[in-house]
Every structure is written in C-alpha cells, then in structure tokens.
Amino acid sequence: MKKLLAFLLAAMMLISMTSFAVAEEPVKLTWWWFTTGDAPIDWPEVEAKLNEISAEKIGVTCEFKWMTADQIMLATQSGEYFDLAFTCGWYNDYATNLANGMWMDIAPLLEEYGQDMMKLMPDNIWAGVKQGDAIYGVPHVKDYGIEVFWILDTDFFVDELGLDPTSYEAKHIGFEEMGEYMAKYVELHPGEVPLKVNKGGVTSWMNGLADWISMEYWLGLDWEEKGTEEELTVKSALDIPKFYHVLEVLHDWYEKGYINADAAVTESMPRSIAGVVQSGQGWFGAETVWANAKQKACFISRYDGPYLTTDGLLGSVTAVSSYSEHPVEAVKLVNLMNSDEEYRTIARYGIEGKHYEVVEPGIVKRTDLGNTNMSLAAYTQGSYALGPVEASAFESVPANPHQWTELVERYSAEAVVSSTLGFTFDITPVADQCLAMKNVWEQYIYEMQTGTSDPAVVVPELKAELEAVGLNEVLAEAQAQLNAFMGK
C-alpha cells in the first residue's frame, strides 16, 4: 500500500511538473519586417540570440519574416497570419490597413505592458497613430520630423572649394542654390556628373514639398498657405507652386548635365557611386551613417524642414494585428524592442565582436562582416534613438552621441507643425480612382523627378489624364474627410 501511495504521489508530481513546463513554454510570435530583397545573411544567428533574451525576460520568442513590398501585399491579401508588422506611408500602407481594420487598438494594453518604452518617447510622437483615445501602433523614435539634407563629399566641397562645413552657410544650402556648386564641379571636372540618381530621382526630394495627405497619390496641403483661409485645402501636388518649381529646377539641372542622362531608366544607384552631391531625409548626426554608405568622408547641409506632419510621424511604425492571438505578448515584445538597449542593439547591429565593435561608450563601429552580412534598415525595427550610435570610418566625420536629444529639442524649437496631425485619408470610397491615378502617375513620374522631361510640357498632359480618371472625385473625398476630421 505504501509503495502504491508513493507511486501515485510521484506520478502526480510528474504530471504537475509537466503541466508547469508546458505553461512556461515561450509564446511564439510572427513579426513582419521590411526588406528590399532578402533577410541579412547572418540573421538566423542574430534571431536566435534575440530569442534567448526575449524568452528569458518576457516569455516570448519571435519569427521575424523579412518581406518586400510585393510580398507583404500578397501576404496581406491572402490573409496570412501575423502578430506584428512594420507599416508606414510607403510600405504596407498604414492608412489603408487601418481603414480595413487590420490594426489593433493597443491603448488598453500600453499602460500595463508598454510603460518602459513610453517613458523614452516624446509626447508628440503619438499624434500620427492616435484616433481619439485609440492607439493603432507604436511609432519609432527616429527622425520623425521631416528634414531633408544634401550629402556632400568633403574632397570637393571642402578640399577643392574651401567650404567650412561647420559654418551656418554650409549647413543650410538651399535646393536651387546647389546648382551653383554643381556648375563649379562640371567646370573643374569636365565630363563628370555631380548628381547621379536612379529613376527615383534625388532621394527624398518631395518629402517637404507639401503637408502630404497622401504621398502615394500625390495629394497634400500647401505649406505656403499655412495660416491662411486656404491652409486646409487639399490639392494635387501639381497645383502646389513649390512642387512645380522643384520640377523646373531638376529639368534645368538635367539640361545642364548635372544629372546623369540615363537617370529615368536606372533601377538602382548605390551611394558609393552616386556622385559628390547626394540627398536624403535625415537629421544632423546622420552624416556618419551616410559616410559609411558612401565609403567617403562627407558633411551634410539641410535644404528643407523641419516639419512635423502625420506623414512624418507615420514614417516608421510597428502595429499589432487585429487578429493576433497573443496581443499582450505582442505589446510586451514591442516594448522590449523599444526600451531594452541590449535587445535593440543586437537587432540593429548583430553580435558584438563579430558584426560590430564598441569604440567608446555609446558609439560602435561595424566590422566588414557586419557591413556585408548584417545590412538592414534599422529604423524600421524600432527606436533608432535607443542604444549606441554608429561611428563613421572617417576621422573628419565624428559621431555625436547626443544627436537624439538635440533632434527632439530642434523639433520643439524649429519645426513647422501641421494643422492636421492625426488625419489619415481612407481611400476606400474612391479606391478605383486612386488606383487609376497611381497608374497614370507612374507613366510620368520617373522622367519628371529625374529632370528628364520638361514640366511645362508634361504637367498639363499629366493633369488632364489624372482628371480623366477621377482626380477631382478623389480631391473632393479627401477634402470631405479632412473637413469632418477638423470638425468643419
């Protein structure tokens, strides 16, 4: 009898321990991430390390699925399961998916499971993802205000022209003003092109040209009308004077040989070969990132911004799927990514000693293997401000570990703030017209944004074709939605 009792007790303990082990098994999530091609070569090793940390700290592991824009569109349309996804205005479209009910309101979960990251985030960064009391995603702390920069080779602008990169004038070269410098370049370097671009044109050229209601369909508000009765009038980009003027400047540069003749049909143009003048949306401090990408010493000069807009605030967001079976764990993982420096640094840079080395506290340098095997758009993962900044390979381009504090202060002091923060355009009522407009734009935009075509000729043609497929209906719908949002 004693043996039987002992056996039963042992069996009960085993069952209890087995149940406990099952209960403690980490919850596995699926997180969709952005890529233009494949996952980083060494990602499996990095993912394994991340899962060790998250399993121990929050009882969660994750499969990170790297997806191109086409892949994520197909996955969404087919109803493929996921828990978390990167979304913005130009990839896995935030506004469209919100209108389709794809994003979960995580406001009820943030107070309990998201406090760590919320303490590290500026208050104004939430405006893009809030609707009333609902919150439909976690914005990433990055250059969420729009500032667009020239990226200028030191060997030409400093060594040849004698420009002082620390002067105010050098740090604020206007868009049209850059033509004067490129004229000097072609004079000193006959047959060479200073501004080499692919069919996407001058990188980020359009970002500050309007307070965009929809960059995908080229609808926006005119910044020049802010403070007037017309500031809330939705317009086609073609009817915004600043937008049209930039097209004229680009065409002038193309005609003068400042832009490569094959730009409109060039699929890619790596920064390492793209010329002494380049462009990009960034922040004062991003020159270290760009110097590494260019593989040349450079400095940066802001030609537009800063602006604080819904489009900018939605530049990089992690959203939780409305159909997630584990919303609590999903918010816990986003919180970890945006508050735990060890976890965030591994996701961004890889394995210390293999993919990067610590140069000094707060500054790291990628190894050659890190550059080749762990290349990714780190701002799409989570907070870009959390963890160490990247050193450049050039002494003349020192890293600034205080750049993020300075950025938030600059936005507060200098940014022009949109009057429509939080508004997102739901294209559903005019989806067919929007698709037709997008197709029309694609027939013209590559030549327009590379300066290849003359805007005086093509803009009237483009506008007529857009009107023929429903531009005015789309404008009316966008205006009605904005009026309702503003309480008009």
Side-chain angles (χ1 to χ4, degrees):
M1 183 66 180
K2 288 182 179 180
K3 289 183 178 181
L4 178 60
L5 182 59
F7 173 78
L8 291 173
L9 287 170
M12 291 175 66
M13 287 179 66
L14 181 61
I15 292 171
S16 177
M17 289 173 65
T18 302
S19 299
F20 179 80
V22 171
E24 291 298 309
E25 190 73 22
V27 173
K28 185 174 182 180
L29 304 178
T30 300
W31 193 335
W32 288 353
W33 269 356
F34 161 79
T35 183
T36 56
D38 299 315
I41 296 170
D42 286 351
W43 185 254
E45 178 186 359
V46 176
E47 182 176 301
K49 182 62 177 176
L50 291 173
N51 282 333
E52 287 179 22
I53 297 171
S54 60
E56 179 183 347
K57 293 190 173 183
I58 59 172
V60 172
T61 61
C62 188
E63 178 188 5
F64 299 92
K65 297 188 68 174
W66 297 80
M67 308 177 81
T68 65
D70 289 340
Q71 289 169 336
I72 205 166
M73 182 184 299
L74 290 173
T76 300
Q77 292 173 347
S78 65
E80 185 177 330
Y81 179 86
F82 69 98
D83 296 286
L84 298 143
F86 168 67
T87 176
C88 62
W90 50 267
Y91 172 89
N92 194 24
D93 187 59
Y94 173 88
T96 300
N97 290 332
L98 177 65
N100 291 336
M102 185 178 291
W103 308 138
M104 179 181 291
D105 173 14
I106 58 174
L109 302 174
L110 288 174
E111 186 171 348
E112 185 171 355
Y113 305 109
Q115 281 299 304
D116 296 329
M117 64 180 174
M118 293 181 74
K119 291 175 184 175
L120 301 175
M121 299 172 72
D123 291 338
N124 58 10
I125 201 173
W126 294 94
V129 293
K130 289 187 72 173
Q131 295 206 350
D133 294 328
I135 296 177
Y136 290 101
V138 175
H140 303 161
V141 183
K142 55 181 283 292
D143 49 321
Y144 59 92
I146 295 171
E147 295 180 286
V148 195
F149 291 82
W150 295 119
I151 307 162
L152 306 172
D153 280 15
T154 300
D155 57 4
F156 174 67
F157 284 87
V158 178
D159 299 343
E160 289 192 46
L161 298 187
L163 208 61
D164 176 6
T166 65
S167 67
Y168 181 88
E169 291 75 14
K171 289 184 175 181
H172 298 85
I173 300 173
F175 189 88
E176 191 167 3
E177 185 184 355
M178 183 52 64
E180 300 171 17
Y181 292 95
M182 291 193 290
K184 294 178 183 177
Y185 182 83
V186 297
E187 178 185 342
L188 295 172
H189 301 269
E192 295 188 30
V193 176
L195 182 59
K196 299 175 184 176
V197 301
N198 62 18
K199 66 182 185 180
V202 179
T203 305
S204 303
W205 70 279
M206 77 295 286
N207 290 13
L209 298 184
D211 181 358
W212 294 106
I213 296 300
S214 173
M215 190 178 287
E216 186 172 8
Y217 304 109
W218 303 90
L219 309 175
L221 309 179
D222 187 347
W223 283 120
E224 299 300 319
E225 294 176 344
K226 186 170 172 59
T228 74
E229 293 182 356
E230 297 297 314
E231 74 169 328
L232 298 180
T233 301
V234 182
K235 297 182 176 182
S236 165
L238 300 176
D239 292 322
I240 295 176
K242 185 178 179 180
F243 183 90
Y244 184 85
H245 179 62
V246 167
L247 294 179
E248 291 182 311
V249 172
L250 289 170
H251 181 57
D252 178 59
W253 289 352
Y254 182 85
E255 292 283 285
K256 291 175 177 176
Y258 302 166
I259 297 175
N260 48 306
D262 61 350
V265 294
T266 299
E267 291 294 330
S268 65
M269 181 64 67
R271 289 203 180 276
S272 58
I273 62 171
V276 298
V277 177
Q278 298 181 25
S279 177
Q281 180 175 317
W283 65 98
F284 286 110
E287 56 266 37
T288 57
V289 179
W290 283 322
N292 289 339
K294 286 170 61 63
Q295 301 172 25
K296 290 189 72 175
C298 66
F299 70 97
I300 62 176
S301 179
R302 188 178 71 192
Y303 67 79
D304 207 359
Y307 304 102
L308 197 62
T309 70
T310 302
D311 188 71
L313 291 166
L314 292 176
S316 186
V317 176
T318 293
V320 178
S321 168
S322 293
Y323 305 102
S324 173
E325 297 171 2
H326 307 286
V328 168
E329 288 78 9
V331 173
K332 283 183 177 181
L333 187 58
V334 179
N335 182 70
L336 189 71
M337 178 65 79
N338 289 280
S339 64
D340 187 289
E341 187 168 336
E342 178 191 19
Y343 188 86
R344 179 72 189 99
T345 301
I346 293 170
R348 179 176 182 175
Y349 295 113
I351 309 300
E352 183 179 356
K354 181 175 183 177
H355 299 114
Y356 73 95
E357 302 284 353
V358 177
V359 176
E360 58 184 87
I363 300 177
V364 301
K365 184 176 181 179
R366 294 182 187 271
T367 63
D368 291 341
L369 191 66
N371 282 321
T372 57
N373 289 13
M374 263 299 289
S375 177
L376 49 83
Y379 69 91
T380 65
Q381 300 172 309
S383 172
Y384 208 64
L386 180 64
V389 299
E390 185 176 352
S392 82
F394 308 94
E395 290 185 8
S396 63
V397 192
N400 176 9
H402 309 295
Q403 58 190 258
W404 295 110
T405 301
E406 294 171 2
L407 175 139
V408 172
E409 292 173 351
R410 187 166 65 254
Y411 287 170
S412 297
E414 300 180 25
V416 179
V417 182
S418 169
S419 302
T420 63
L421 287 183
F423 174 71
T424 54
F425 175 38
D426 176 12
I427 70 164
T428 306
V430 285
D432 291 342
Q433 294 93 323
C434 283
L435 178 59
M437 284 172 50
K438 188 174 182 179
N439 290 335
V440 171
W441 269 100
E442 287 182 356
Q443 297 172 32
Y444 288 86
I445 191 58
Y446 301 129
E447 291 196 353
M448 290 170 61
Q449 65 192 2
T450 56
T452 308
S453 60
D454 182 353
V457 175
V458 301
V459 166
E461 296 176 2
L462 171 57
K463 190 172 181 179
E465 290 193 36
L466 290 171
E467 289 175 348
V469 298
L471 170 61
N472 292 329
E473 296 167 55
V474 174
L475 287 170
E477 178 62 30
Q479 190 68 63
Q481 290 185 26
L482 179 59
N483 290 348
F485 177 83
M486 300 299 294
K488 294 178 64 174

